[in-house]
Amino acid sequence: MTTFVDRVELHVAAGNGGHGCASVHREKFKPLGGPDGGNGGRGGDVTLVVDQSVTTLLEYHHSPHRKATNGQPGAGDNRSGKDGQDLVLTVPDGTVVLDKQGNVLADLVGEGTTFVAGQGGRGGLGNAALSSARRKAPGFALLGEPGEARDIVLELKTVADVALVGYPSAGKSSLISVLSAAKPKIADYPFTTLVPNLGVVTAGSTVYTIADVPGLIPGASQGRGLGLEFLRHVERCSVLVHVLDTATLESERDPVTDLDVIEEELKQYGGLEDRPRIVVLNKIDIPDGQDLADMIRPDLEERGYQVFEISAVARTGLKELSYALAGIVAEARAAKPVEEATRIVIRPKAVDDAGFTVTYDEAEDVYRVRGEKPERWVRQTDFNNDEAVGYLADRLNRLGVEDQLMKAGARAGDGVAIGSEDNAVVFDWEPTMMAGAEMLGRRGEDHRLEAPRPAAQRRRDREAERFDPQREYDEFEPF
């Protein structure tokens, strides 16, 4: 059964905003109560938060679909809908958030670090908020925006000061078990370590963490063995410790060759060239192991490595190694820049920025309008309400969309698409000669629309029949 997961694909969906309410105040002896529709509530966000007590992504491996709650719709009597509840997902320290294309969205390091993975949708305005001096009683309200939904990838990169690397069965698990209180699985066969193990080591006044990475083999950086899955766990370390087996039973292997192979894999993986290295010659408690260590130590020291001879089983040479690692970790910590509190920088957009673009799509033969405001207004429009559609046309006209369409060469009857290619609203453009609330008729209607709702058309037919002058002349009986 899987107990450690360091990479998952997460499907997050923020909450949808609640719809606004179109309502008119009704009370005895108050025939002109006015609009009183409330606004819809905001949808809940999906937020990732670093929690030091969480060490694996196993929870999201079993439940990869997460959704925040929706905002509640508004109601009459100026009652706003309740906001959706934010969904907080705890992740381990060192989690990297990527999109489906592999682009890094956030690197979450440090207790309490947050990242909004999905933004909740805005609530729609009610007709009370949409009323104005000209539009005194709007017969419509704005719809709530849908919440942001996307797929993200979470990768865990262990936050450790020291990383133990080496061939399988080199003694890395045994070493971390005697240096710290960690209890990894130890056996006399390769690949007993299938997940990274963490331990805390105290050497004098320095406390540091040490990670045991699953064994590497030739080709690990290209996907062989377990190395490709876990090499990322050494990226944040301050020092790399090569654990070399001086008593290997494989005749074609020797410690120096093992070191060269592992260094080549680290080079192919990239990003670790600046980390200091220490070489540990393990298993010197075996007579042949001690002899081999004496032979290769001068060669390793000529290469510039600091070499330690130890035996994890006999527990010899551990104190010197522990204090040497503590010194390197202390130097690395002192060299790091002082962390400052995160400052919030506000960069407002230029006031003369139109905020949208108009381009001609030859393949679809439409003029495509892209921009935050036009697309948001389209999402908030109830296209079953004529007055709401007319209000959208007025907003687009005031924003300058029609002027840009004319400059782009659009003519009456040309197709105009607002939004992305896969989710756009397409309509035939008719330049607006007159616009504004003074063009409105009954609540929920707009005379500028050529295809009104059937109910509105029936009311107009009845009114036309009632005040038809020719009908009154025909029904008049002469003396």
Side-chain angles (χ1 to χ4, degrees):
M1 180 178 178
T2 302
T3 58
F4 179 85
V5 175
D6 64 347
R7 189 180 192 277
V8 296
E9 183 175 338
L10 194 61
H11 313 277
V12 297
N16 300 328
H19 299 330
C21 176
S23 173
V24 175
H25 183 71
R26 291 176 174 85
E27 188 176 348
K28 191 175 182 180
F29 305 121
K30 290 185 178 180
L32 301 177
D36 67 347
N39 303 330
R42 178 188 62 84
D45 298 335
V46 179
T47 306
L48 305 178
V49 180
V50 173
D51 187 347
Q52 295 284 3
S53 63
V54 179
T55 59
T56 177
L57 300 173
L58 180 63
E59 179 183 358
Y60 309 120
H61 173 72
H62 294 306
S63 302
H65 297 270
R66 300 302 177 101
K67 188 181 188 306
T69 57
N70 299 329
Q72 297 299 313
D77 199 17
N78 292 306
R79 290 174 294 175
S80 297
K82 183 180 178 181
D83 291 341
Q85 186 175 2
D86 295 339
L87 178 62
V88 179
L89 305 177
T90 56
V91 296
D93 191 7
T95 301
V96 179
V97 186
L98 307 97
D99 59 14
K100 293 285 288 184
Q101 291 72 37
N103 302 315
V104 177
L105 302 177
D107 193 353
L108 306 179
V109 178
E111 177 73 20
T113 304
T114 61
F115 171 71
V116 179
Q119 188 77 39
R122 299 185 184 184
L125 297 178
N127 65 343
L130 296 173
S131 61
S132 63
R134 292 185 175 181
R135 194 186 302 269
K136 297 183 181 297
F140 69 98
L142 298 185
L143 303 179
E145 287 189 86
E148 184 181 9
R150 61 178 173 178
D151 300 334
I152 58 176
V153 177
L154 303 182
E155 285 188 353
L156 175 58
K157 294 183 179 180
T158 304
V159 180
D161 298 304
V162 179
L164 305 180
V165 295
Y167 262 76
S169 298
K172 301 184 297 299
S173 298
S174 300
L175 179 57
I176 194 175
S177 67
V178 295
L179 285 177
S180 68
K183 300 300 179 184
K185 181 180 179 180
I186 301 173
D188 58 353
Y189 54 85
F191 294 114
T192 55
T193 301
L194 300 178
V195 300
N197 297 303
L198 282 178
V200 179
V201 182
T202 302
S205 60
T206 304
V207 179
Y208 59 92
T209 56
I210 186 169
D212 166 24
V213 180
L216 304 179
I217 61 175
S221 59
Q222 280 74 41
R224 291 191 61 195
L226 301 175
L228 183 63
E229 292 296 324
F230 299 108
L231 268 173
R232 60 174 169 267
H233 289 279
V234 305
E235 290 186 20
R236 302 185 192 277
C237 66
S238 301
V239 57
L240 290 174
V241 177
H242 285 282
V243 181
L244 303 181
D245 185 357
T246 60
T248 179
L249 299 178
E250 301 179 28
S251 58
E252 67 276 7
R253 284 179 48 198
D254 65 85
V256 177
T257 304
D258 291 353
L259 175 64
D260 294 337
V261 170
I262 299 303
E263 278 294 333
E264 181 62 25
E265 294 305 319
L266 296 175
K267 180 181 178 181
Q268 293 295 329
Y269 186 76
L272 301 171
E273 295 80 7
D274 59 336
R275 312 301 163 85
R277 266 80 160 161
I278 284 182
V279 173
V280 171
L281 301 178
N282 192 19
K283 303 183 183 179
I284 61 171
D285 55 309
I286 301 176
D288 292 341
Q290 181 64 67
D291 295 340
L292 185 57
D294 294 338
M295 292 174 55
I296 64 175
R297 179 166 185 164
D299 183 20
L300 296 175
E301 291 179 344
E302 287 182 5
R303 297 189 183 188
Y305 291 110
Q306 190 176 1
V307 182
F308 292 86
E309 298 179 7
I310 69 162
S311 172
V313 175
R315 302 198 177 193
T316 58
L318 300 180
K319 184 176 181 181
E320 295 80 1
L321 174 62
S322 176
Y323 276 88
L325 293 176
I328 298 177
V329 170
E331 292 178 4
R333 292 175 179 174
K336 287 184 178 180
V338 179
E339 295 185 0
E340 298 181 356
T342 303
R343 299 193 308 172
I344 300 176
V345 180
I346 301 176
R347 296 183 176 89
K349 295 182 179 179
V351 295
D352 58 345
D353 186 9
F356 67 92
T357 59
V358 177
T359 57
Y360 178 64
D361 189 347
E362 295 184 1
E364 300 293 336
D365 191 24
V366 295
Y367 289 87
R368 195 170 298 279
V369 179
R370 296 301 307 271
E372 180 183 353
K373 285 185 177 181
E375 294 181 33
R376 185 178 77 244
W377 292 346
V378 166
R379 291 193 299 267
Q380 292 181 318
T381 300
D382 180 9
F383 288 94
N384 293 321
N385 187 300
D386 295 346
E387 188 179 355
V389 177
Y391 178 70
L392 172 63
D394 295 340
R395 299 177 85 180
L396 294 175
N397 187 31
R398 289 194 298 268
L399 187 62
V401 173
E402 291 202 356
D403 294 338
Q404 294 298 322
L405 285 171
M406 291 181 180
K407 292 180 181 179
R411 293 179 295 181
D414 288 346
V416 175
I418 301 179
S420 59
E421 296 182 3
D422 55 348
N423 190 22
V425 175
V426 183
F427 57 91
D428 295 332
W429 181 51
E430 289 294 336
T432 302
M433 301 304 296
M434 292 180 293
E438 66 276 4
M439 299 296 299
L440 301 177
R442 291 175 176 269
R443 293 178 61 248
E445 301 177 11
D446 194 311
H447 293 313
R448 293 171 291 175
L449 300 180
E450 296 180 355
R453 293 181 299 166
Q457 186 63 45
R458 287 195 297 270
R459 287 197 298 269
R460 292 172 185 171
D461 294 340
R462 286 197 298 267
E463 290 177 359
E465 183 179 0
R466 183 184 306 172
F467 299 101
D468 187 7
Q470 183 64 34
R471 179 182 176 185
E472 293 181 0
Y473 179 81
D474 294 339
E475 293 178 353
F476 176 74
E477 295 181 2
F479 293 101

